Amino acid sequence: MRFAKVAAASTALLLAAACGGGGDEGSGSAGGADPASAPEELTVWVMGSSQDALVSYFDEVEAKYQETYPDTAVNVEFIPWPDAQESINNAMAGGDAPDVLEVGNDQVSNWAAQGALADIGSYVESWDEAADLDQGALEYGRYDGVQYGVPWFSGVRTLYYRADWLREIGMEPPTTWDEVVEVAEAIEKEKDVPGFAAPTDFTNGIASFIWSNGGEIAVQEGDSWQGRLTSPETKEAIEFYAGLSGDDGVSPKAYVGENELVPLADMANSKLGMYIDGGWALGSMEEQAEDKSVLENIASAPLPGAEGNAPAFAGGSALSVFALSENPDHAAELLKLMGGKEFGKKYADAGGFFPAYPELLDDPAYTDDPARAAAAEQMKNTKFFPATPKWNDADLNQKILPAAVLEIVQGEDPDKVLEEANEALTNTLNEPVD
């Protein structure tokens, strides 16, 4: 097995996220392509950096794959997420290219529209384990009716809170909006620090508030998309979220215009009572905590919603076959092996995520682990952003939703702001794909 790192300069940042294949005949083993025509090597691009647990994972993958294709080596190249866009573009232009690649699950439609991904519909249709994948995540791997990616692993955001502080004031972690305010006010009164963080540059968090109130960001109507930022349900949720940072809110002005990285540092250093982030934040908290013992008192709970737990965006990554692969059949078999129940779970565990199979979320390894139980429960209540290549332009480039929330916090008229934002969102989502 060969491992390599690809270094490429890029100013584009892709969201790390998660979806991927499975095993043939429900066994996680390869075997659907002709061994006699197997290539000497298949190349896999994995986004992120090489880690010992991931290297061990791919050693196992190669060994399993070679039970059927003994003469095929698996070459794994780790691509830093910030370099992913340039690396894929270079591959499309005729440079070094993978056979199987990981892309963020919200990037599948973008790369499919640009011709970087192969149609893997026939492979998925004949793959028994596909029926057990998270079907919403599988649907998210389609573009224009064609399957281009399959979920590999998933991750969600939860509510982080200071468990010791809540015990001291005799309160439970909040499950509703009203309780968020109530608990946050109690924390501020007793501990003299902000009780909750509501950063405005935080589409993932804002979306959960919208979804929990029965609202949507946008919906597809036939062949077009329609923004829903002006619906009563969405407007109420946005105004509530913005109000958390208002003059009488519980979230400090320091988080206005910021993303979740700023409250992360405060959470790690006892300067904040609650905030929303993903499981990957724990590693960053450990790096930033001046007093490491604080981490023992940071716990997590499912996201609070309007009247109960809120849906979370099902982040994660997808596995795809590169459009220019010279060995698509054998690449598809490797994809299914990597993302099957056996190896899909192994990769999720190695990376600190969750498998893309709902039935596996009841594993005691997740449900009995205090650090992962809340996220495992949250994984059962997820939603997705609009499955269109233009979503990334609307969110990452234009920041339409975060910008609207910021303007409302700054005192602009919500009706006017959301009307203009909704028009911009609708127009952007319906722009022709280049």
Side-chain angles (χ1 to χ4, degrees):
M1 159 120 13
R2 291 198 299 113
F3 288 89
K5 288 187 179 181
V6 172
S10 174
T11 58
L13 177 63
L14 304 186
L15 298 180
C19 305
D24 217 35
E25 299 300 322
S27 66
S29 62
D34 182 9
S37 61
E40 293 183 359
E41 179 179 276
L42 289 173
T43 297
V44 180
W45 278 8
V46 181
M47 302 305 157
S49 59
S50 173
Q51 302 172 27
D52 290 344
L54 303 185
V55 171
S56 296
Y57 166 83
F58 280 106
D59 284 340
E60 289 190 56
V61 166
E62 182 180 59
K64 185 68 174 180
Y65 193 76
Q66 289 179 343
E67 289 179 7
T68 305
Y69 306 105
D71 298 323
T72 301
V74 177
N75 173 39
V76 181
E77 299 180 357
F78 290 90
I79 312 294
W81 276 103
D83 299 341
Q85 181 160 321
E86 184 167 346
S87 296
I88 296 174
N89 283 333
N90 288 341
M92 291 171 62
D96 292 337
D99 296 286
V100 177
L101 73 162
E102 172 192 358
V103 295
N105 64 351
D106 60 344
Q107 286 283 315
V108 171
S109 59
N110 173 59
W111 289 118
Q114 295 187 50
L117 308 181
D119 176 356
I120 57 173
S122 61
Y123 304 115
V124 174
E125 288 174 4
S126 62
W127 175 29
D128 288 351
E129 283 189 324
D132 296 328
L133 284 164
D134 181 321
Q135 295 302 295
L138 187 62
E139 175 68 28
Y140 205 44
R142 297 189 184 110
Y143 170 65
D144 203 21
V146 177
Q147 194 79 46
Y148 290 101
V150 291
W152 193 12
F153 59 87
S154 295
V156 291
R157 286 165 173 79
T158 57
L159 177 76
Y160 284 103
Y161 65 95
R162 281 295 295 267
D164 53 338
W165 291 357
L166 264 60
R167 284 194 299 269
E168 290 175 21
I169 61 180
M171 303 187 83
E172 298 291 329
T175 60
T176 67
W177 292 355
D178 289 343
E179 290 176 3
V180 167
V181 174
E182 182 182 1
V183 175
E185 290 177 341
I187 290 173
E188 184 167 6
K189 179 181 178 180
E190 296 296 327
K191 298 298 177 180
D192 197 29
V193 299
F196 183 74
T200 57
D201 188 8
F202 191 26
T203 297
N204 286 281
I206 298 167
S208 288
F209 281 76
I210 291 172
W211 291 331
S212 82
N213 203 42
E216 296 287 351
I217 297 172
V219 296
Q220 189 168 18
E221 297 178 345
D223 293 331
S224 64
W225 287 88
Q226 178 61 52
R228 285 287 183 266
L229 301 185
T230 55
S231 75
E233 297 83 3
T234 301
K235 179 175 178 290
E236 181 182 28
I238 290 175
E239 288 191 277
F240 176 82
Y241 189 88
L244 293 171
S245 299
D247 293 336
D248 298 322
V250 295
S251 179
K253 299 292 186 182
Y255 301 145
V256 174
E258 302 289 352
N259 59 29
E260 67 265 43
L261 296 180
V262 175
L264 183 153
D266 289 342
M267 191 75 190
N269 290 292
S270 300
K271 298 178 181 178
L272 177 67
M274 299 182 292
Y275 94 117
I276 295 170
D277 209 340
W280 49 88
L282 291 172
S284 296
M285 286 189 213
E286 185 171 6
E287 292 177 358
Q288 299 191 43
E290 296 177 3
D291 178 3
K292 306 300 183 185
S293 66
V294 167
L295 301 176
E296 298 175 4
N297 291 308
I298 296 177
S300 62
L303 296 177
E307 299 296 337
N309 291 341
F313 168 62
S317 286
L319 286 175
S320 298
V321 172
F322 192 63
L324 299 181
S325 171
E326 297 179 355
N327 302 283
D329 291 347
H330 296 88
E333 291 306 313
L334 179 57
L335 176 153
K336 291 190 291 181
L337 172 62
M338 290 167 56
K341 289 181 183 177
E342 179 184 356
F343 284 94
K345 183 179 185 302
K346 285 184 177 181
Y347 190 85
D349 290 343
F353 293 95
F354 291 95
Y357 295 87
E359 67 188 69
L360 299 182
L361 296 177
D362 292 326
D363 190 315
Y366 308 129
T367 59
D368 294 348
D369 181 354
R372 308 181 74 182
E377 182 64 26
Q378 185 67 64
M379 281 292 302
K380 299 176 183 179
N381 187 12
T382 59
K383 293 196 68 167
F384 297 91
F385 292 128
T388 164
K390 305 307 293 186
W391 168 249
N392 289 280
D393 184 19
D395 186 48
L396 295 182
N397 298 333
Q398 300 183 49
K399 294 184 179 291
I400 292 174
L401 179 56
V405 173
L406 176 59
E407 290 181 30
I408 294 172
V409 171
Q410 293 173 334
E412 298 295 326
D413 177 60
D415 289 327
K416 181 175 182 294
V417 168
L418 293 178
E419 186 67 39
E420 293 176 352
N422 198 63
E423 181 178 357
L425 179 62
T426 300
N427 289 340
T428 298
L429 296 184
N430 289 303
E431 287 177 354
V433 177
D434 296 332

